[in-house]
Amino acid sequence: MSERGNRKTIQGVVLSNGMDKTIVVRAERIVKHPVFHKYIKRYEKYKAHDESNQCAVGDRVLIVECRPLSREKRWRMKEVLERAK
């Protein structure tokens, strides 16, 4: 399968795998507060496609952007970086 251009990748933790072939991934980013100049953690949730239903809650995964797969799914799970304990 050939790659088409540069696609964004995000690391995150799986929050839910209750849907069929879909996982919910929480990604964390650190931003600087504009007034107080202190660093704050911000979180965002992404729905990602998991073709083989191999992810479990708590796994650290790498997701990559893709074409729209459903109304809210625009990401695909590329690999499991670390399994949940």
Side-chain angles (χ1 to χ4, degrees):
M1 188 164 119
S2 62
E3 288 293 322
R4 294 176 45 165
N6 294 328
R7 296 181 183 227
K8 294 178 187 170
T9 59
I10 294 177
Q11 287 185 18
V13 177
V14 177
L15 290 181
S16 168
N17 63 349
M19 296 170 276
D20 186 32
K21 297 186 179 182
T22 303
I23 56 175
V24 179
V25 178
R26 185 176 87 160
E28 173 186 306
R29 63 188 173 95
I30 298 174
V31 295
K32 192 173 186 180
H33 193 281
V35 176
F36 300 117
H37 305 294
K38 121 184 221 185
Y39 290 96
I40 308 167
K41 289 181 183 177
R42 294 284 181 216
Y43 301 98
E44 193 161 355
K45 291 197 289 188
Y46 299 97
K47 287 193 173 79
H49 186 67
D50 179 15
E51 182 64 37
S52 57
N53 284 326
Q54 65 181 2
C55 290
V57 176
D59 289 351
R60 178 166 288 285
V61 295
L62 182 70
I63 58 175
V64 61
E65 74 175 341
C66 65
R67 65 181 175 82
L69 299 171
S70 70
R71 190 179 74 159
E72 296 179 339
K73 272 202 296 191
R74 275 96 174 103
W75 297 86
R76 186 177 297 127
M77 194 269 304
K78 187 171 185 180
E79 64 178 309
V80 177
L81 300 174
E82 181 182 336
R83 290 282 179 194
K85 295 176 179 146

